[in-house]
Amino acid sequence: MARDAYISTNRYAAKMLGSHLGRVFSNQHTQMVTNYATFIGEMCGIIDATKTVLHRESGVRIAQYPFYLVYAREVWKLRNNFGGNTLYSRLTTLRKKWTDFGLTPSILIRIEREVFGIVPPPTS
């Protein structure tokens, strides 16, 4: 787990130990921290991989990085909820949205391919 994920998980665990949260949280604390650690570990990997793609691209301003990172998080969410043609359709819509906001379509496609391993379906 990346250092950022470790720190974030520890902060979450400490926050969820408060006596003001009641018995429900104290009974489920271990499982909640485990779930959060899994999520944040995966998300840190996605963020790092997305930044690697952005560093290799010329002309991407550092001020645009947060928008590309949000795009990556949205792709992650779609990939976890959909598959097949539905996923490709949703990705096309998502890509159009972020292209309209000024992001470069080829970089968005590189994020889909290199970070998530999503390749477009074969055309017939």
Side-chain angles (χ1 to χ4, degrees):
M1 185 178 340
R3 180 178 179 273
D4 293 339
Y6 180 76
I7 291 170
S8 182
T9 301
N10 284 339
R11 286 182 183 162
Y12 178 80
K15 194 183 326 180
M16 290 296 125
L17 281 177
S19 60
H20 64 286
L21 295 175
R23 292 181 59 209
V24 172
F25 284 107
S26 65
N27 292 339
Q28 298 175 356
H29 181 264
T30 303
Q31 186 60 46
M32 290 168 57
V33 171
T34 301
N35 292 345
Y36 183 78
T38 302
F39 163 76
I40 202 68
E42 185 176 355
M43 197 52 59
C44 284
I46 289 169
I47 290 168
D48 291 343
T50 303
K51 285 181 180 180
T52 299
V53 170
L54 296 175
H55 291 321
R56 281 188 268 142
E57 288 290 328
S58 61
V60 178
R61 296 187 319 264
I62 195 77
Q64 293 178 310
Y65 275 40
F67 302 107
Y68 284 105
L69 293 173
V70 170
Y71 176 77
R73 288 184 195 109
E74 290 183 3
V75 171
W76 175 81
K77 184 176 179 181
L78 287 177
R79 188 196 63 187
N80 287 338
N81 291 314
F82 302 102
N85 290 334
T86 304
L87 174 62
Y88 298 123
S89 173
R90 301 270 176 131
L91 283 175
T92 302
T93 304
L94 182 65
R95 206 177 308 119
K96 167 119 176 55
K97 174 182 110 173
W98 285 103
T99 301
D100 290 347
F101 283 131
L103 300 186
T104 307
S106 62
I107 297 174
L108 299 177
I109 291 170
R110 282 193 63 200
I111 290 170
E112 292 169 15
R113 289 183 182 172
E114 295 181 23
V115 177
F116 298 99
I118 299 171
V119 294
T123 56
S124 44

